[in-house]
Amino acid sequence: MGKRIVIIGGGTGGTIVANLLARGLRTELRSGEVTVNMLSASEKHVYQPGFLYVAFGRMQDDEIIRDQRGLLDPLINLYVDPAVKIDTESQTVTAQSGRSFPYDYLVIATGSRIVPEEVPGLKEGAHWFYDLAGAKKLRKALKEFEGGRIVVSVGVPHKCPVAPLEVTFMLDDLFSQNGLKEKYELFYTYPIARVHVLEPVAQWAVKAFERRGIRYETFFNMKEVDPLKKQIHSEEGSTLDYDLLIAVPPHKGMPLIEESGLGADGWIPTDKHSLTMAGKENVFVVGDTTNIPISKAGSTAHFEADTVAESLICMIKEGCPGRRYDGKVFCFVETSLEEGTYVWFNYNTPPNPGEPSQMIHWFKLAYNRLYWLSARGIL
Amino acid sequence: MNLTIDKSVDARDSYCPGPLMELIRMMKSEPVGTVIEVLSSDQGSAKDIPEWIHKVGQEYLGAEEKDGFWSIVVKKVK
């Protein structure tokens, strides 16, 4: 029997791994020496960074959603049948339909989900742009907003660590353009001692806040929201009034991970270089699902997927793992509706954001369309 | 420090989301009484973490500098 690879998850990480395997193992897949089965919870693939643009009316559903089958190389077997149990002892994944998928190598790329219910009152009182329904609801609220205080508040952990800053700067631009500059106040809060986790980004952002008149409070961890009084309370003891609350809800991994006993809160203990699950050399973990303390973001999933695919190809062809992941992350940062910058870093190199420019913003807009080439493993 | 550590977060070489964010995450999910150690190669953490712990009303047990990194220990008391 040939080698069986099972990939759980049809998001950025899982899809890139699958398509790179199809390219690197084309001969083996055609001959049946290797099979790749992907289990996805949805027949659709969503470009999640597009949600921010949906909220601002700058992207539409059909620009951020594609059929998963159409994105995958034909040599990959796609089952739209979510995994419900992972047994790493018997090396079997069970799907919702009851079907079993035995594996020799497993790739877990199940991602993360927002859990606004973790903060009492947040679901009722806040808007967000971390899912399509939320982004559309926020788009409507922004259209109807006539003035007052907008509070941007950030939960822990969350994905895309630059998004809270991006939304704040984009909001400031939007309302300025709409002639509401005198009628609103933007108030940004962040969980740690500075306005962004990356110190160089925080230093730059504080100057931009001061220039734009954006107020902020650090050491602010959401504790509770009172939707009737329109107040948000922090774990640290402060209270803010709001007219419009835009939250980055806390995130968790998928219930499947906890239910299979693989990791608390859905995060799997993962070796930060080999990207294998602790104690399991044939189980790889990609993207948000890992417990590695680096960004949960599509970019991280992308670079991790490159590493995992090359390692798997090497293991199958040569019998030994190939590449090590160096912690590489690259993030565009929108600094207004017209300008952007970027940061990149890895385990050894700290981030060093450059001056924002229109060109980088345009490149980000271009990447929003080029993403589909990334998912296909081409870019 | 001679303490029994219940949970350890290795946030060395982590630039994003960083050691304090990792500690906040763990503080939310672990039960009261848990002693958590954060390993950080970021000098700022040795200052930020005690400051946050004090502000949020948890217990700071101490920090120790080792070979190029800090071990910072806190206890979840509420």
Side-chain angles (χ1 to χ4, degrees), chain A residues 74-125:
Chain A
L75 289 167
I76 306 298
N77 305 314
L78 171 67
Y79 297 86
V80 181
D81 192 2
V84 293
K85 192 176 179 214
I86 301 167
D87 185 339
T88 56
E89 293 306 314
S90 67
Q91 300 193 177
T92 305
V93 180
T94 309
Q96 198 172 59
S97 64
R99 185 172 176 156
S100 284
F101 291 85
Y103 66 80
D104 298 291
Y105 298 101
L106 179 64
V107 178
I108 306 176
T110 42
S112 60
R113 64 197 161 111
I114 55 169
V115 283
E117 60 274 18
E118 296 274 303
V119 179
L122 193 70
K123 252 177 124 165
E124 299 77 14

Side-chain angles (χ1 to χ4, degrees), chain A residues 274-289:
Chain A
S274 69
L275 299 177
T276 50
M277 177 180 150
K280 297 284 174 189
E281 286 184 3
N282 64 338
V283 180
F284 291 87
V285 192
V286 174
D288 293 357
T289 318

Side-chain angles (χ1 to χ4, degrees), chain A residues 47-362:
Chain A
Y47 174 57
Q48 296 179 36
F51 294 150
L52 178 63
Y53 297 86
V54 170
F56 283 86
R58 297 192 169 210
M59 284 185 96
Q60 304 300 325
D61 298 17
D62 57 2
E63 291 174 278
I64 64 167
I65 301 173
R66 293 273 191 283
D67 282 328
Q68 178 66 5
R69 180 64 269 176
L71 276 180
L72 284 177
D73 189 287
L75 289 167
I76 306 298
N77 305 314
L78 171 67
Y79 297 86
V80 181
D81 192 2
V84 293
K85 192 176 179 214
I86 301 167
D87 185 339
T88 56
E89 293 306 314
S90 67
Q91 300 193 177
T92 305
V93 180
T94 309
Q96 198 172 59
S97 64
R99 185 172 176 156
S100 284
F101 291 85
Y103 66 80
D104 298 291
Y105 298 101
L106 179 64
V107 178
I108 306 176
T110 42
S112 60
R113 64 197 161 111
I114 55 169
V115 283
E117 60 274 18
E118 296 274 303
V119 179
L122 193 70
K123 252 177 124 165
E124 299 77 14
H127 286 80
W128 56 76
F129 54 93
Y130 271 70
D131 58 20
L132 187 57
K136 286 184 170 179
K137 187 168 158 253
L138 175 58
R139 183 171 70 192
K140 187 166 179 288
L142 293 178
K143 275 213 168 85
E144 291 167 357
F145 187 72
E146 291 178 341
R149 178 190 270 184
I150 306 160
V151 173
V152 175
S153 200
V154 181
V156 175
H158 65 270
K159 65 182 156 194
C160 193
V162 294
L165 279 179
E166 292 182 294
V167 76
T168 304
F169 291 131
M170 290 165 79
L171 283 168
D172 187 50
D173 263 17
L174 179 76
F175 292 130
S176 298
Q177 285 178 7
N178 290 355
L180 289 169
K181 187 73 185 168
E182 307 305 319
K183 294 184 182 168
Y184 78 92
E185 177 191 38
L186 260 174
F187 202 109
Y188 173 94
T189 75
Y190 205 63
I192 64 168
R194 49 185 181 262
V195 300
H196 191 259
V197 65
L198 299 173
E199 203 157 353
V201 176
Q203 285 168 0
W204 166 82
V206 158
K207 285 184 200 147
F209 280 177
E210 287 166 358
R211 198 171 57 243
R212 290 165 174 258
I214 297 169
R215 294 177 64 193
Y216 60 91
E217 182 172 326
T218 55
F219 278 153
F220 189 103
N221 282 277
M222 293 187 281
K223 182 182 184 185
E224 194 173 4
V225 174
D226 184 335
L228 295 177
K229 288 187 183 164
K230 292 198 163 187
Q231 287 182 326
I232 179 166
H233 305 279
S234 78
E235 296 280 357
E236 292 81 3
S238 65
T239 296
L240 290 173
D241 294 313
Y242 67 82
D243 295 292
L244 179 65
L245 175 62
I246 300 176
V248 175
H251 283 62
K252 273 189 173 176
M254 292 303 168
L256 161 74
I257 304 302
E258 266 196 308
E259 287 161 14
S260 299
L262 302 186
D265 284 346
W267 318 122
I268 298 178
T270 305
D271 183 282
K272 72 180 194 177
H273 290 296
S274 69
L275 299 177
T276 50
M277 177 180 150
K280 297 284 174 189
E281 286 184 3
N282 64 338
V283 180
F284 291 87
V285 192
V286 174
D288 293 357
T289 318
T290 78
N291 74 335
I292 303 172
I294 54 170
S295 309
K296 293 195 182 298
S299 159
T300 315
H302 182 156
F303 295 122
E304 289 179 349
D306 286 349
T307 307
V308 165
E310 286 185 28
S311 267
L312 264 170
I313 292 165
C314 202
M315 281 170 93
I316 284 167
K317 286 189 166 179
E318 312 285 342
C320 59
R323 265 176 69 178
R324 283 160 60 87
Y325 178 58
D326 66 357
K328 184 179 176 187
V329 180
F330 176 100
C331 300
F332 285 107
V333 187
E334 293 282 34
T335 57
S336 76
L337 288 169
E338 308 295 339
E339 287 189 337
T341 182
Y342 66 90
V343 286
W344 85 268
F345 48 92
N346 61 25
Y347 294 141
N348 304 311
T349 315
N352 184 22
E355 273 301 304
S357 72
Q358 278 189 331
M359 196 166 73
I360 300 173
H361 164 70
W362 292 335

Side-chain angles (χ1 to χ4, degrees), chain A residues 346-379:
Chain A
N346 61 25
Y347 294 141
N348 304 311
T349 315
N352 184 22
E355 273 301 304
S357 72
Q358 278 189 331
M359 196 166 73
I360 300 173
H361 164 70
W362 292 335
F363 196 77
K364 167 65 179 176
L365 296 187
Y367 182 79
N368 285 342
R369 285 160 178 80
L370 291 171
Y371 168 72
W372 305 107
L373 295 180
S374 286
R376 288 188 169 91
I378 296 168
L379 185 67

Side-chain angles (χ1 to χ4, degrees), chain A residues 156-157 161 190 192-194 197-198 219 221 235-236 250 265 267 272 293-295 345-347 349-350, chain B residues 9-18 20-22 24-25 28-30 42 48 51-52 55-56 78:
Chain A
V156 175
Y190 205 63
I192 64 168
R194 49 185 181 262
V197 65
L198 299 173
F219 278 153
N221 282 277
E235 296 280 357
E236 292 81 3
D265 284 346
W267 318 122
K272 72 180 194 177
I294 54 170
S295 309
F345 48 92
N346 61 25
Y347 294 141
T349 315
Chain B
V9 186
D10 188 352
R12 285 175 288 181
D13 304 324
S14 153
Y15 295 109
C16 191
L20 177 53
M21 210 80 105
E22 284 298 305
I24 294 171
R25 175 180 73 78
K28 283 171 64 184
S29 59
E30 294 299 325
D42 166 33
D48 287 354
E51 194 181 333
W52 180 73
K55 196 163 186 180
V56 84
K78 64 173 192 179

